[in-house]
Amino acid sequence: MEQSHRTAEQFAENGLALGARRRGDLDAAEALLLPWLDWNRRFGVDSGAALVLAQLDCVTEQRGDARRAGELHRHGFAAARRSGDPRAVALALEGLAGARAATGRPEEAASLLGTAAAVRDAIGAPLPPAERADVDRAAERAREALGGPGFATAFARGRTLTAEDRIRLLDAAVSHE
């Protein structure tokens, strides 16, 4: 019975961490998230680990360490894949897009955002406007670098990829980094 409310507690603290992150209190967000990453890993809860990693990755990106954020996003993407939850996969793709945009890879970022949007559309789970801050930040960086038409082309190309296609491309890219 002691563990029965842990999942609800985790979701509540994830929400608090998201609020802290949006206020710019990255230390508070990280302090709320790190214990949950350990807990999820200890109990093999990939869906929870993927969600926590997505937030931790954004904390790292917001601190300006885009390379480390990309590394964390890859771990989150692996956990999302293992979870089998398409929403977790979409969230991880969006996070990877943020890291790619921050490291000067805007075309890849726009394509990742397109793939994530296609995954969300396929399951009828669009990202709510209140939860778009990270996606909008990645899209804006990519759009600034590529221009509107360049962004639209890369985004549309990404929409044609399945999550499985994207996984193959990401696996190949990670092996060359």
Side-chain angles (χ1 to χ4, degrees), residues 110-124:
S111 180
L112 284 160
L113 290 172
T115 304
V119 169
R120 287 185 179 284
D121 289 349
I123 60 169

Side-chain angles (χ1 to χ4, degrees), residues 144-156:
E144 283 177 12
L146 298 172
F151 176 86
T153 298
F155 185 89

Side-chain angles (χ1 to χ4, degrees), residues 78-117:
R81 287 171 54 192
R82 287 189 306 269
S83 79
D85 181 351
R87 292 168 301 168
V89 170
L91 183 63
L93 290 169
E94 292 157 354
L96 282 165
R100 294 301 198 262
T103 57
R105 293 156 66 180
E107 190 169 324
E108 190 176 349
S111 180
L112 284 160
L113 290 172
T115 304

Side-chain angles (χ1 to χ4, degrees), residues 21 30-31 35 40-41 84 107 115 122 129 137 150 166:
R21 203 163 55 77
E30 187 175 55
N40 282 294
R41 285 179 168 166
E107 190 169 324
T115 304
R137 184 176 62 249
R166 179 57 72 187

Side-chain angles (χ1 to χ4, degrees), residues 11-102:
F11 281 116
E13 289 196 5
N14 258 288
L16 291 172
L18 181 59
R21 203 163 55 77
R22 287 186 178 157
R23 287 190 314 274
D25 192 349
L26 303 177
D27 291 338
E30 187 175 55
L32 286 162
L33 294 167
L34 284 174
W36 291 111
L37 180 59
D38 292 339
W39 187 84
N40 282 294
R41 285 179 168 166
R42 187 172 344 125
F43 291 102
V45 183
D46 288 321
S47 58
L51 179 61
V52 172
L53 280 164
Q55 283 227 54
L56 285 171
D57 306 336
C58 290
V59 166
T60 305
E61 179 195 333
Q62 287 177 281
R63 284 186 171 142
D65 189 350
R67 186 162 183 80
R68 174 76 176 132
E71 181 182 317
L72 290 170
H73 279 300
R74 285 190 298 275
H75 291 294
F77 185 68
R81 287 171 54 192
R82 287 189 306 269
S83 79
D85 181 351
R87 292 168 301 168
V89 170
L91 183 63
L93 290 169
E94 292 157 354
L96 282 165
R100 294 301 198 262

